[in-house]
Amino acid sequence: HGHVICTNGAATHRLPGGESEDRVGIPPHVLQAAIPRLRQAIPGVAFALEYGDRVIRERALRDDVDSVPDILSVLDDHQVPLKLIARGAGLDTHALNARINALCAGQLEASSSGASFSEVAAHGVNKGYALARLCGLLGLESGQCLVFGDAHNDLPMFAWAGASVAMNNAAQGVQRAAGEVTLSNDEDGVAVVIERLLETQGGLLRH
């Protein structure tokens, strides 16, 4: 049994059954105000909405059979999306994140998992939020947590946890924010750290 944090912290599920334990979406009225503002400020920006079990994309983002011309046309007060996906023509992901966070401060929070688009959640919703919430329910403190990450959306989790480890394939900014850098994903860097802790019976595992 365990728990899995998904969608950059917007959803937490219980394993093995997958029951929802926490779900924090973006209020549709926030998106109805924010999307036109982003369109005006970021030429060529295109959007998609992620609901957890499905994704609805604008045709400008990807021209699929079920794509729509304008994402605003599918917003529904009874269905709250977990994430807004945004891609801006001519802007790299980090520049796009910065623009979104500046234009929608206090309403939305943009980050990146290394993909070629911005992943936008409700303000204050990130992996750090989700981990802190889950640990509170489990009676754990931040100093008892060891986290691993390889992308910028892991930084709030790094900031909250007592110990953080970046993968060697992570961006330099992510590595600098971590307390330790392990081997890359392809080299089983997570397993290397866990095995070391088990062998020494030291560090966090004593607490």
Side-chain angles (χ1 to χ4, degrees):
H1 295 281
H3 310 263
V4 57
I5 292 171
C6 308
T7 325
N8 282 355
T12 301
H13 298 273
R14 183 65 184 265
L15 297 176
E19 298 87 0
S20 178
E21 294 185 317
D22 185 46
R23 182 183 175 97
V24 186
I26 308 172
H29 74 271
V30 171
L31 292 172
Q32 287 165 354
I35 288 173
R37 188 184 319 144
L38 295 172
R39 284 198 203 283
Q40 184 175 16
I42 307 171
V45 69
F47 299 103
L49 295 172
E50 184 176 325
Y51 289 88
D53 58 347
R54 62 195 175 102
V55 177
I56 301 176
R57 301 172 182 85
E58 286 187 332
R59 206 160 286 143
L61 187 68
R62 195 164 82 185
D63 193 3
D64 289 334
V65 174
D66 56 353
S67 298
V68 298
D70 185 349
I71 208 70
L72 288 173
S73 67
V74 300
L75 278 176
D76 182 346
D77 289 339
H78 302 291
Q79 299 183 65
V80 179
L82 293 172
K83 185 195 296 183
L84 175 70
I85 294 170
R87 188 171 64 201
L91 283 179
D92 65 36
T93 306
H94 300 305
L96 184 57
N97 288 343
R99 294 294 302 278
I100 293 171
N101 287 329
L103 290 163
C104 302
Q107 294 182 315
L108 299 175
E109 183 168 322
S111 64
S112 171
S113 61
S116 61
F117 47 78
S118 291
E119 301 168 56
V120 187
H123 176 66
V125 177
N126 51 54
K127 291 185 181 181
Y129 150 80
L131 182 62
R133 177 201 161 276
L134 177 59
C135 287
L137 293 177
L138 298 175
L140 298 173
E141 298 179 357
S142 62
Q144 297 173 283
C145 292
L146 167 65
V147 299
F148 296 83
D150 62 359
H152 286 86
N153 65 341
D154 294 313
L155 293 177
M157 182 174 66
F158 280 14
W160 186 83
S164 56
V165 181
M167 314 307 292
N168 191 50
N169 53 280
Q172 287 300 308
V174 177
Q175 293 189 28
R176 286 194 295 270
E180 178 182 345
V181 178
T182 185
L183 299 178
S184 70
N185 293 342
D186 291 340
E187 297 170 302
D188 298 326
V190 172
V192 168
V193 174
I194 292 174
E195 288 173 356
R196 186 191 74 214
L197 292 172
L198 289 171
E199 288 171 1
T200 61
Q201 297 184 355
L204 296 173
L205 299 183
R206 286 184 176 173
H207 300 289

